[in-house]
Amino acid sequence: MKIPIKLSMLALSALLILPLAACQVTQTEEGEMPEVEVEEGKLPEYDVDGPDIDVGTQEKEVTVPDVDVSVEGEKKKVTVPDIDVTTPDDPDYQDDDNPELDDDGQAPNAQ
């Protein structure tokens, strides 16, 4: 039994509209914008240490379907992504853009 496309689209539309029609919103009080005075400020500065990510490729042997559409497959070598992530709390992490910090969070030789 086939369902006509128009009927399917109508049912889908009804399902998408139902959550919007299932609630009622009534304004209970008028609102107004507050009066404010704004002075110039300064945004905080942050030193963010992100992970080191090495993206490369490596060859892996995977099973791929045969071209003649048989259910059996054969092994072929394909190139797949190879990603290494080193986070700042990893002992091997080295931030090349910023010097290492001491226990007080200061750069060596900082005055």
Side-chain angles (χ1 to χ4, degrees):
M1 180 173 133
K2 283 189 168 182
I3 299 175
I5 294 177
K6 288 184 180 180
L7 182 60
S8 299
M9 293 301 288
L10 181 64
L12 180 62
S13 297
L15 287 174
L16 294 174
I17 293 174
L18 184 62
L20 296 175
C23 65
Q24 180 180 3
V25 178
T26 305
Q27 182 176 358
T28 59
E29 185 177 331
E30 290 291 325
E32 63 182 57
M33 295 294 294
E35 293 183 23
V36 296
E37 291 184 26
V38 179
E39 296 179 13
E40 185 175 321
K42 181 180 178 187
L43 293 176
E45 293 183 16
Y46 295 94
D47 181 18
V48 178
D49 293 328
D52 287 335
I53 301 175
D54 297 325
V55 179
T57 59
Q58 59 181 337
E59 282 197 11
K60 291 284 185 179
E61 194 168 295
V62 295
T63 304
V64 294
D66 214 359
V67 176
D68 63 359
V69 191
S70 70
V71 178
E72 300 170 9
E74 62 181 79
K75 290 193 175 195
K76 300 239 181 195
K77 286 192 176 190
V78 295
T79 303
V80 296
D82 180 26
I83 301 174
D84 293 322
V85 177
T86 307
T87 60
D89 56 348
D90 191 316
D92 295 332
Y93 178 79
Q94 177 60 44
D95 187 357
D96 296 331
D97 295 331
N98 295 309
E100 298 232 2
L101 302 178
D102 60 19
D103 294 334
D104 296 326
Q106 299 295 318
N109 302 326
Q111 300 288 339

